[in-house]
Structure formats: structure tokens, C-alpha cells
Amino acid sequence: MSANHGKQVLGIIGGSGVYDIDGLAGKHWEKVSSPFGEPSDELLCGELDGQAMVFLPRHGRGHRIPPSEINFRANIDALKRLGVTDVVSVSAVGSLREHLHPGMFVIADQFIDRTFARTKSFFGTGVVAHVSMAHPVCSRLGDHLEAAMREIGIELARGGTYLVMEGPQFSSLAESELYRSWNCDVIGMTNMPEAKLAREAEMCYATVAMVTDYDCWHPNHDDVTVEAIIEVLLANAEKARTLVKKVAPRIKRDAAAAGCGCRRALEHALITAPEARDADVMQRLDAVAGRVLKPR
């Protein structure tokens, strides 16, 4: 079971540089075993101004793991085992809209999942469950992120649709134009099935999509140099570190967090009758679904 005991713990999923935050007290790397396999890396634990925090390098330190080979289930399960209640996912994206220019942050509130080579659920034969993904991110966390960004002066867009592609190749021009016709706003490779699994684990989840460049639809895209993209990446990482420092105390002070509906996502999601549930599967689900699973 999770080691939460009612304590609010902020989890950050992101790349190198995002978890290197000044003022993180008692920081230490912790290896977490998961029944779903190996997480991307050890997890960095500590406290920032009294707020317990856990940082997970999505691709592993040194960016070793490509998007399609990330063990998303192990990552979310490991965070849950360390008591994480609120997850802020930070990722680089391409823009599908002229007004969402490089350097902007988008607090996405919808996803279109176009991935096809990833395991997308903790549940399966033996224990079946269906959670709602109508509103896939936590608006409460989104409010805190928006307020912190405005305080810092980060240019942002609140709301938007994030198209998650399989990768690792970038999209073709025809694909890019197709996604634009679907009214998608940004495109990336990492937030699915991450958001789905966070919902199944009853964790509040929000996305900070950091625009690095325009996708290939833009007529001037080819004029952007690798050096320019790297410059934006580095600037975004610096802004993301500042954002984490500013949003942590807001989350810590949030008295409404315990009553957030995200934390009861499994309340009516289990379909398999108690007498038909597989004991081995239930044991594997001890962290993510232990609140609602009852032993036979």
C-alpha cells in the first residue's frame, strides 16, 4: 500500500534539469520496486519549504529511454508507493498553433491519444476496471499552476488539446495538418498513457507542456536551427524549475485537496465481482487500487 497516511506529496515527472531545484532539503535518490517492472530511474525525494516532493526523470538520467519504451505503469506505481498524491507532468512539445510560440507554457486540459505500442492500464484479466477520462487533468492543480506562472511572469495558455503521438519520429506534414484540422494545439510523445494511469491510481494530474518549436506545418519551421531549439529547451527548463518552487507552497496550503474527485476515481470503476477477482492481480494492484480492493 501507499505510504501516504493522509500527507500531501507532490510528484514531478520531467527531464533532467527540472528536478535539480535549489532549496530541496533532505534530498536522496530512492530505488522503488514495482510489480509492473522497472521505473525509468531511481526517484529523487526531499522537501521544499515543508512540502514533500518526489521527482522522476521520465527518460532516465541522461535521457536513456525513448518515449515508446518508457515503463509508464512502473513509473506511476512507484510514485504511488512513495505516497505521491499530486502529479505535475512537465514535457517538451511542438506547437500546432501560430499563437502558441516557442517559450510559451500550455496547461493542457484535453488529450488525443494516438499511441499504439504501449500498455495503457493497470487493470486487465482478473480485475477489470473502467475510469472516466472525460476531463483527464485536475483543474485544481491547473489553477495552482496558472497562478504560479502568472506570478513568475511565464507566458502561458490555459487549456488546450495535446495530441500524443507514438514516435520516436516526428510527424509528417500531412499528419501535422490532420492534427491541426482536429483543433489540436500541441503535439508530444509522453503524456499518454501517463495521464490515464495517474487517473487509475487516483492521483491528481496536470500537464505543463513547454513549447520548444513549431511542428512541421509552419512554413518557416525549416529556418529554425538546432541551436535555437536547444536554447529554448534550456530556457524552458530554468522556468520549469522556478515554477516548481512557486507552485509547491500553493499545493501545500490547499485545504480542498483531500476532497478532490481525482482521488476517488475508482469509487465505481471496478467491474469484476469480488468473488471472481484474481488474487495475484489484486496483489499487484496493492498500491494503485488498494483503497477499493478488498481481499477475498
Side-chain angles (χ1 to χ4, degrees), residues 91-147:
S91 60
V93 298
S95 171
L96 295 169
R97 299 293 160 202
E98 184 78 44
H99 69 282
L100 301 176
H101 59 77
M104 285 187 68
F105 283 16
V106 180
I107 305 174
D109 59 2
Q110 285 293 330
F111 297 100
I112 293 180
D113 186 0
R114 294 283 289 172
T115 65
F116 52 82
R118 310 174 188 189
T119 305
K120 302 187 180 187
S121 177
F122 288 113
F123 299 92
T125 302
V127 180
V128 178
H130 301 281
V131 298
S132 171
M133 290 297 294
H135 302 286
V137 303
C138 178
S139 60
R140 178 184 60 85
L141 277 185
D143 290 342
H144 292 315
L145 288 165
E146 180 180 7

Side-chain angles (χ1 to χ4, degrees), residues 16 34 85 94 115-116 134 142 158 177 181 212 226 236 245 253-254 287:
S16 59
S34 169
T85 54
T115 65
F116 52 82
R158 178 69 190 268
E177 292 291 5
S181 76
T212 59
V226 173
N236 281 351
K245 293 175 71 172
R253 294 193 301 264
D254 188 350

Side-chain angles (χ1 to χ4, degrees), residues 263-286:
R263 302 185 184 183
R264 299 186 301 277
L266 293 177
E267 201 73 43
H268 305 291
L270 295 177
I271 302 298
T272 307
E275 65 274 12
R277 294 171 185 168
D278 185 286
D280 291 335
V281 176
M282 289 175 64
Q283 183 175 357
R284 192 162 66 243
L285 293 166
D286 64 337

Side-chain angles (χ1 to χ4, degrees), residues 153-173:
I154 294 175
E155 190 174 2
L156 69 102
R158 178 69 190 268
T161 299
Y162 182 148
L163 187 290
V164 190
M165 63 182 295
E166 187 64 58
Q169 301 85 0
F170 295 118
S171 52
S172 68
L173 176 58

